[in-house]
Amino acid sequence: MAPRKPENERKVNSFRPFGKIASHVDPMVLYTFLGLFVASLILLAFQMDVKEDCTNTNIVLSHKQHSTGKAYTVGEVITFHAESADKKSTDFTWEFGDSSANVAGPQVYHAFNKAGSYRVTLTSGKCSWNKEVIIVTGISETPVNTAADIFPVIEGPAEALAGRAVTFVNKTPNARSWSWRLVQDNAETHTNSSVTYTFSTPGERTLSLIINDDSSHMVLKHISVFPGKAAAPASDNYTPAPFPVDEPAAAPIPAAPEKPRVPAVSDDEFQYMLTQVTNKQKNAADFSKYLCDNLGARVLLNDKETDNFSHFCSRIYGKKKFKIEKVNLVKDENGCVKEIRIMYDKKGFLGIF
C-alpha cells in the first residue's frame, strides 16, 4: 500500500492560456493568425502616420508665355498653371470664384467677364491652395463693340463692264487668311488678299469675303455688271465718227414718277442675314428695304406653320442653335419680298417653336 500524502501538501498545476484550444488546433495555425494580426496593426499605424504633403505645389498665372502680372483686364485669357514638384501628379481641380464651372487639369485657361477681385482655388486630393486675382477694366475696352465685332471691308468698285478686269482688295489689320468667292454655283475660292474678276456677261453679281476663317463675320459686296463698249476696229482706214454737234434741246417731257428701286437679294443672302439675327447682329428692321417696309410679310415654316416676319425675327433673335437649312423668297412684280419660305432643322433646336 502506498504511503498517504501529508494534508498540507498542495497540488500545483501550471496555467496554460488557450490550453483547451491548443490541444485541439495545430500550433502553427495559431502562430500564423497571430503574425497576420501583428502585421495588420503595423500597416494601419503606418497609414495613419502618413500625411499628404501640401507644400510642394504653387499657383502660377500668366497672360503670355514666360510673363506674369499682378493685374489682368476684363476678357483677357489667363493661363493658370499648377507648378508642382511631383511631376506625375495631374489630379488638379480649379474653381475661379466667378460662378463658372470648375475645370480639371494641371494647366487651364480662363477669362473673367467683370472687373473685381476673385479668389481662385486649386484642389488636389486633401490639399487646396488659394490665390487672389485682380481684374481691371482695360483702357481701350468698349461696352458693346470690340475688335472681334469689326467686319472686314471689300475695297473695289460696285459697278463694272462686261469683259473688263476689275480688282477687289481687303486691307484688314492682322488678317492672316482670305477666302473670296462669288455667290453662285461652282464658284472658285481665292485665298490672296486681293482678287481680280473679268465678268463675261452683264448682270448682278455678289462677292463674299471671309478672313481668318471666321465665317460669322462674312461680308458681301453687290456688283452691277453693264454691257461693255465695242472695241474700235484695228485698221489704218478707220475714221472716227464725227464729233456730234449740239442741237437745241427739246422741251423736257415730264416723266412719270419712278417707283423706289428695291435692292436685289438672293435666297442665300437672305438666309445669311437671318443667321445674323440669331447672332444678335441684325433685327427685323434691317430687312425693311427688301420687304418694301412690309414687316408683316408671311413666313412659312417647314411648309406647316405660318407667322409674320417681324414676330418670327423676335423669336429667333439671339437663338444661336436655330439652324436654317433653306430659304425661298417669293417676290412681286416690283421685286418686293412678299413671302418667305423657311426650312429649319427641328432636331438641332427643339422647343423654340
Side-chain angles (χ1 to χ4, degrees):
M1 178 179 294
R4 187 176 180 181
K5 294 182 179 181
E7 294 182 359
N8 58 350
E9 182 179 355
R10 297 291 185 267
K11 185 177 182 180
V12 178
N13 294 326
S14 62
F15 176 72
R16 297 177 60 193
F18 307 108
K20 294 183 179 181
I21 298 177
S23 62
H24 299 285
V25 181
D26 188 352
M28 289 302 297
V29 175
L30 294 177
Y31 296 149
T32 301
F33 277 107
L34 183 60
L36 291 175
F37 178 72
V38 174
S40 300
L41 291 178
I42 295 174
L43 181 61
L44 179 60
F46 176 76
Q47 291 181 346
M48 293 180 63
D49 186 62
V50 173
K51 294 183 179 179
E52 192 170 354
D53 186 7
C54 298
T55 62
N56 59 354
T57 301
N58 187 31
I59 299 177
V60 179
L61 281 69
S62 66
H63 67 285
K64 288 191 275 184
Q65 188 176 9
H66 305 307
S67 65
T68 59
K70 295 182 179 180
Y72 303 87
T73 58
V74 173
E76 179 181 4
V77 178
I78 307 173
T79 302
F80 293 85
H81 179 68
E83 191 177 71
S84 175
D86 185 7
K87 302 299 182 181
K88 297 181 180 180
S89 178
T90 59
D91 184 19
F92 295 101
T93 302
W94 299 83
E95 182 181 354
F96 299 103
D98 59 351
S99 301
S100 61
N102 294 351
V103 181
Q107 179 168 304
V108 297
Y109 306 90
H110 187 72
F112 297 91
N113 297 324
K114 294 182 180 180
S117 176
Y118 297 90
R119 184 181 180 87
V120 178
T121 302
L122 171 64
T123 58
S124 176
K126 299 179 181 180
C127 298
S128 63
W129 303 267
N130 299 302
K131 193 174 188 68
E132 182 182 13
V133 180
I134 300 175
I135 305 299
V136 297
T137 303
I139 298 176
S140 61
E141 181 184 351
T142 56
V144 178
N145 295 325
T146 62
D149 293 325
I150 298 178
F151 285 77
V153 176
I154 299 177
E155 298 183 11
E159 298 178 350
L161 295 176
R164 302 287 183 90
V166 60
T167 301
F168 302 93
V169 182
N170 173 256
K171 299 179 181 179
T172 301
N174 301 323
R176 301 180 302 276
S177 64
W178 297 264
S179 178
W180 302 85
R181 188 175 183 273
L182 289 173
V183 182
Q184 62 186 35
D185 295 335
N186 302 320
E188 183 180 358
T189 301
H190 301 273
T191 57
N192 295 325
S193 60
S194 63
V195 64
T196 301
Y197 289 101
T198 302
F199 303 108
S200 58
T201 59
E204 298 291 331
R205 305 290 195 278
T206 302
L207 177 62
S208 66
L209 171 62
I210 298 174
I211 65 170
N212 298 337
D213 298 324
D214 184 7
S215 59
S216 65
H217 289 74
M218 180 178 72
V219 293
L220 303 174
K221 186 176 185 67
H222 299 282
I223 308 163
S224 298
V225 182
F226 300 99
K229 297 180 180 180
S235 174
D236 295 339
N237 298 325
Y238 170 73
T239 302
F243 191 81
V245 179
D246 293 337
E247 296 181 358
I253 301 174
E258 295 183 358
K259 297 181 179 179
R261 184 179 178 183
V262 180
V265 60
S266 66
D267 295 351
D268 292 336
E269 293 171 333
F270 205 91
Q271 177 179 343
Y272 170 73
M273 289 187 289
L274 287 176
T275 303
Q276 290 181 303
V277 175
T278 63
N279 293 330
K280 295 184 178 181
Q281 297 172 357
K282 288 187 181 297
N283 53 40
D286 295 321
F287 297 82
S288 180
K289 57 184 177 181
Y290 306 110
L291 302 175
C292 296
D293 298 327
N294 180 23
L295 296 181
R298 182 171 177 264
V299 178
L300 180 61
L301 301 169
N302 283 354
D303 295 332
K304 294 181 180 181
E305 183 186 355
T306 60
D307 198 353
N308 68 72
F309 184 76
S310 178
H311 185 246
F312 170 74
C313 288
S314 66
R315 293 162 70 184
I316 68 172
Y317 186 79
K319 304 298 189 301
K320 294 184 178 181
K321 294 184 179 180
F322 182 70
K323 302 299 180 183
I324 300 176
E325 296 179 343
K326 188 176 182 181
V327 171
N328 294 120
L329 303 178
V330 179
K331 303 178 182 179
D332 59 16
E333 63 276 5
N334 297 322
C336 299
V337 177
K338 65 178 183 179
E339 183 174 326
I340 305 102
R341 178 173 174 264
I342 298 176
M343 307 297 291
Y344 67 91
D345 182 12
K346 290 185 177 180
K347 296 181 181 178
F349 195 81
L350 299 176
I352 183 175
F353 294 105

